[in-house]
Amino acid sequence: MTVEMSVEVGGLRLRGPVVAASGTFGYGTEVPLLERRALGAMVSKGIFLRPREGTPPPRIVETPSGMLNAIGLQGPGVEALIRDYAPQWAGWDFPVLVNINGETAAEYGELAARLDGVPGIAGLEINISCPNVEQGGLYFGNDPRAAAAVTEEVRKRTDLPVWVKLTPMVTDIGVIARACEAAGADALCAINTFVGMSIDLNTQQPRLSFRTGGLSGPAIRPLAVHLAHQAARAVNIPVVGIGGIFRADDALEFLIAGCAAVQVGTATFANPRAIAEVNDGIAAFLASKGLPSLSDLHRYLPRD
Amino acid sequence: MTVEMSVEVGGLRLRGPVVAASGTFGYGTEVPLLERRALGAMVSKGIFLRPREGTPPPRIVETPSGMLNAIGLQGPGVEALIRDYAPQWAGWDFPVLVNINGETAAEYGELAARLDGVPGIAGLEINISCPNVEQGGLYFGNDPRAAAAVTEEVRKRTDLPVWVKLTPMVTDIGVIARACEAAGADALCAINTFVGMSIDLNTQQPRLSFRTGGLSGPAIRPLAVHLAHQAARAVNIPVVGIGGIFRADDALEFLIAGCAAVQVGTATFANPRAIAEVNDGIAAFLASKGLPSLSDLHRYLPRD
Amino acid sequence: MFLLDGNMVARREVARGMFVLSVDAPQIADSVRAGQFVNLGWSPGPLLRRPFSVYRVDGDRIEVILKAVGVGTAQLLAMMPGETISCLGPLGHGFDLSPGPTSVVLVSGGLGVAPMPLAAREARAAGMHVTWVHGARTADELCTEADGDEVIWATDDGSQGFAGTAVAAVPDADLVLACGPNRMLASVASHWPDAQVAVETYMGCGTGVCLGCAVPLERGGYDRACKEGPVYRAADIDWSMLPAHLPYAISA
Amino acid sequence: MFLLDGNMVARREVARGMFVLSVDAPQIADSVRAGQFVNLGWSPGPLLRRPFSVYRVDGDRIEVILKAVGVGTAQLLAMMPGETISCLGPLGHGFDLSPGPTSVVLVSGGLGVAPMPLAAREARAAGMHVTWVHGARTADELCTEADGDEVIWATDDGSQGFAGTAVAAVPDADLVLACGPNRMLASVASHWPDAQVAVETYMGCGTGVCLGCAVPLERGGYDRACKEGPVYRAADIDWSMLPAHLPYAISA
Ligand SMILES: Cc1cc2nc3c(=O)[nH]c(=O)nc-3n(C[C@H](O)[C@H](O)[C@H](O)COP(=O)(O)OP(=O)(O)OC[C@H]3O[C@@H](n4cnc5c(N)ncnc54)[C@H](O)[C@@H]3O)c2cc1C
Ligand SMILES: Cc1cc2nc3c(=O)[nH]c(=O)nc-3n(C[C@H](O)[C@H](O)[C@H](O)COP(=O)(O)OP(=O)(O)OC[C@H]3O[C@@H](n4cnc5c(N)ncnc54)[C@H](O)[C@@H]3O)c2cc1C
Ligand SMILES: Cc1cc2nc3c(=O)[nH]c(=O)nc-3n(C[C@H](O)[C@H](O)[C@H](O)COP(=O)(O)O)c2cc1C
Ligand SMILES: Cc1cc2nc3c(=O)[nH]c(=O)nc-3n(C[C@H](O)[C@H](O)[C@H](O)COP(=O)(O)O)c2cc1C
Ligand code: FES
Ligand code: FES
C-alpha cells in the first residue's frame, strides 16, 4: 500500500510531513548521509541581517535525554546567505525556509524584504525567541503584542509564506498563537527550546560560556506535545510540531495531537538518518492502520 | 572531617539540606528503607480541605528521563490528616510541612487556620499550581496577583513558617517570586512539575486519563536549575531547589545556583535510598573541597 | 521489604519468547509470598523500576517470568548472566491461602502464569488440591512449566487442550485464583465474585508513596495496587474503570 | 562519511585503565586518515554520540583508545565483544602528512596518543623519520604501544624516561604533530607556531551542522572542530578562549 504523505502547510505543499529544524541541519549542504527523498522541507540555520560570530565555547552540554545549546546564532548574515546558499537551494526538490532573527521588529522586516523573491527561498520562519532590545531584552515570543508586531512587520514586507516559531516558556501559548495568527502568520511552529542551565561542580560556574542554553531532545517531548496541542487548539492555521522527535512514534504523537507536520532537530545529531526513518515510519504506521493518506489520521483536538 | 550540614530555611532549622518532596513520599509512613537520619524535612502529599478521590487510571506514564503524573491530589482531607498523621509526625526528629491546596484563596486560608498550632505540623508549603476556579481555572501560580493573594491569605491565618512552591510554566518566575516574597512567604520552593502530554498511538488518545500530567525527573533538571537560579536572584528569602535530583551532584547544582536547600521527589521511586545518598554525597563533596559547612559553599548568583 | 543488588544467574525459555530469569536475592527469596512482586531496576536502564511477580523461589534465588513487550523487558532479556539487577521487594499483598478450602483452581492467561507456581506451593502446604488452568493464544505460547495436581491447557486456536479461554475451562472448586490481562480478570469477576485476582497497573514507586497505581473500587475511590493489592477480591474492583490496554495485556 | 553498525570484536589494556577497542567497520577502516575521528553511538547509551580518534586500522577493523572518564566511556568499556557500536566516520580534517619534511615528532600526552599510530604510518609512507614522544603522569599510565623510529618517554614524576612534560622532551624536527589536553597544546603552540595540533571540544553532531564544536581563532570568529578541524595550525587558535577543563583533559 502506498500512502499519500504530502501535506499543505502555510502556503507550501510539502511532499512529506517531516521538516529539518533550524540550527540542526546547517544550510542543508553538510549532511551527506541523509536520504533527501524523505525531506518535506528544510529550515536553514537562523540568520540575522549582519554576520554574527556566536558565543565562545563551551556551546553545548548533554543533559538527561537532552542537550543544552548556546550557539549564539553564529552565521554569515543575510547577504552571504543569499550569495552562497540560495542558488544551491534553487536546484533542490524540496522547499527551503529561512529562519529569521532580529533585535527589533524593524530588523525582522528588513530581513523579510531582502529575502522576498530570492530564488531558492521558499518561505520564512520567524524565530521570536530572540531578545527584544527595545523591550529591555524580553523575548519577542513572551509578549503577544511584540510577537504580533514582528509577524505583522514581516507579513507587510514579503509575499513569501510566513511561519512563526513559538517559544515554550510562556504562561499561555494559545494567547501568543492567536496573536500571531491575527497578525498574518500562515503557520505556527511549536516549539523552540526551553531555557536551561547546567552547573560545573569543579568550577562552580555554568558549564556553558553563555550561562544558559536552550534545552532540546526527548527530555522536552511531553512538554512540546502539550504545547503544540494547545497551539493547534487555539488557531485555525496549521501548526508544525517540534521537540524531541527521534522516531516515527514520536512524530505521530504530534500529528495526532493536531499538528499538520513536524520538525526533527537534535535527532539528526545522534542519527544522521533520523529524518528518513521518521518519514518512513509514519508511512508504515498509516499503512498498518489502513489509512490511505496522512490527512486521514485522527487528530485529537477536543475544544472543551 | 565532619561537615556542618544544618541550614535555616524560612523559619525552620533543618539538620540537613535534603527534603522529601510533596507527593513522592506519601505521609512519611510508607518508605521503611530510607535512612531517616538523612532527612532534613519532609513535605507531605498535597492536601485539600475535603477528601478527594483523585483521577482515574492511568495516572502515570514514563517519558525519556522523566515521568508524567496526574494523581489529582487524591487525599483524605485535612481533618483525617490531622487525626491520622499529625500525631505520628509529632514524635519524629525532623520537621514535617503540609502541602496545602485549594480552589480559592479563601480555601487556602481556611486550611492554614485549621493546621495552625497542630502538634506535629512544622510548616506549610503552599502549592500554587492549582487551578483558580474564581479565575476560570488559570493556575494561581501563573499570575503574580493571585499568587500573592493566596500567600497573604495563608500568612494572615497562621504563625507557621510558610513556603510557597512556584510553578515553572510562567514567562518570568522572578515576578512571581517577588510577589510571594512581598506577600509574606518565608521561603520559596522552585519548582513544581511542568505540564506535559503523551499520546497512545493505539487508542490515539492521551495516555493519561486526565490527558495532561506533570513532568518530573532528570529530564527537567536543567530547566529547574535555571528557574531556581532565577528565583534565588530575584528575592532575599531562601529558595529550595526542586526538579530531577537523583544524585548528590544534581543537588549541588541547585545549591551552587543559589538554593539554600533542595527537595528530592521522583528519585525516591527509582531508589528508595536516594535521599540518604544525596545527603551523604553533598557532605562528601564539601569535605573533599575542604569546606567546613554547607554555608561555605560558593553560591553563583550574579545580579547583572 | 529489602533492597538488594542481585546477580542474574540464569535464563531459560519456557514458551515461545517467554523467559525465566533467576536472580540471587536471599532475603526476598526467604520472605516472599505468592502474589507478591519485586520492583526491578538496572543500569543503564529506564528511569523507573519495573514490577514483576515472583514466579518461583530456588534457594537464595528468586525467579521472574517475562516476555519482551517494551524497552525495559527487552533490556532485561538482553542481559547476560553475571550482570546485576537491583531488586526491591517483596512488595504488595499476595493471595490469601490460609487453610480451609479443600480445592483451588489457579487460572492464568499468558504471562498471568507468573504468580501461580508460588500459589500452588502455598495451596498445597495448606492442604488444598490444586488445579492448574493455563491459557494462551496458541500451543507454543503456553508456559510449559505446569505445576498442579491436575493440569488443564486452553488455547484460543485449539492447538492444545481445551479450545477457548482459560476462564471457560475452569472446573468447580472452593477457591479461584486468577492472573492475566485485566480483560480476562473482569470475566473471572463476573463468574466468581469471590475469586482472588492479581491485577496490573502502571506503577511509579511500588512502595505506596506515589498513588500512581490506582485501582478503582466498586465502593468508590481508589486503592493502591502496590500496597493494598495487587491481589483483590474480584468483585471489589470497578472493572469498567480499570484500563485493559496495558502492553502486557496486548501480549498475553 | 559512512554510518555502519560495527561489531565490537576485542578489547585490550595498553596502560593502567586505558583500553583499545576493535570494531568492525570496513569502509571507515579503508578510508580513514590520521587525525580523523569517528562518532560512536550505542543502545542503550547516552543521547549524543561520542567522538574518538581512530587509533589504528587492522584490516576491516578500526581501533579506538579510551579510558573511562564519564558515563559514555564507562559504558563503552563495559561492553562485551559481540555487541554492536554504531560508527559514523571518518570525520573531520586530519593531519597534513604530504611528502616534503624529512622528520616528524609526534607529541602526545595521555590519551592524546590516540591519533599517533596512524600519523606514524602516514609519515613513514611519506618518507619521514618518526620520533614518538609520549608523556603521562607516571609510568603505568604510559601507553605501551609505541610506534616510532625513535621513542622518547616522559613522566611528570620521572618514573620512566624524561622527568617532565612530553613537550619539554621534544627534539628538533621539520614537523611537529601534537595531541593531548588543550593546556598542553597551548604550550606546543608557543614553541612551534606551525605545529599541527588535534584539539578537543564538546561536540553535538560531528558532521558540521550544529556549530557546537566552536574553535576560537586568532583571526577572530570560530571554526568547527568537526569539519575544519580537529587538526589546526597551532598558532591559528586563540588558546585563551578554548576551555581547558574538559574531562579528557582532567584524566590525561
Ligand atoms: C504487580 C505487577 C506484576 C507484574 N508481573 C509481571 C510478570 O511477572 N511478568 C511480566 O512479564 N510482566 C509483569 N508485569 C508487567 C510488567 O511490569 C510490564 O510488562 C513491564 O513493566 C513493561 O516494561 P517495558 O519497559 O518492557 O514496557 P514499556 O511499555 O516500554 O514500559 C513503559 C512504562 O509502562 C509501564 N508498563 C508497561 N506495561 C505495563 C504493565 N503491563 N503493567 C505495569 N506497568 C507497565 C512500565 O513499567 C513503564 O513505566 C507486572 C506488572 C505489575 C503491576
Ligand atoms: C575529535 C575528538 C577526538 C577524541 N578522541 C578521543 C580518543 O581517541 N580517546 C578518548 O578517550 N577520548 C577522545 N576524545 C574525548 C572523548 O570524546 C570524551 O572523553 C568522551 O566524549 C567523554 O564521554 P563520557 O560520556 O565518558 O563523558 P561525560 O563527561 O559523561 O560526557 C558528557 C558530555 O561531554 C562530552 N565530553 C566530555 N568530555 C569530552 C571531551 N574531552 N571532548 C569532547 N567531548 C567531551 C561528551 O561527548 C558528552 O556530550 C575525543 C574528543 C574529540 C572532540
Ligand atoms: C544546536 C541547535 C541550534 C539551534 N538553532 C536554532 C536557530 O538558529 N533558530 C531556531 O529557531 N531554532 C534553533 N534551534 C531549535 C530547534 O530548531 C528546535 O526547535 C529544538 O531543538 C527542538 O527540537 P528537537 O528537540 O527536535 O531538537 C536549535 C537547536 C539546536 C539543538
Ligand atoms: C507522583 C507525584 C505526585 C506529586 N504530588 C504533588 C503534590 O501533591 N503537591 C505538590 O506541590 N507537588 C507534587 N508533586 C511535585 C513534586 O513535589 C516535585 O515538585 C516534582 O516532582 C519535581 O521534582 P522531582 O523531579 O524530584 O520529582 C508530585 C510529583 C509526583 C511525581
Ligand atoms: S506504585 Fe506508587 S503508590 Fe503504588
Ligand atoms: S559538532 Fe556539530 S558542528 Fe561540529
Side-chain angles (χ1 to χ4, degrees), chain A residues 6 8 11 31-32 74 98 106-108 117 125 134 194 198 208 228 254 273 283:
Chain A
S6 75
E8 169 94 24
V31 184
Q74 174 179 339
V98 176
E107 275 186 29
Y108 283 94
E125 182 184 71
E134 290 167 342
F194 288 76
S198 173
L208 295 174
F254 284 92
R273 294 206 184 98

Side-chain angles (χ1 to χ4, degrees), chain D residues 18 62 84:
Chain D
M18 198 189 281
I62 56 169
T84 299

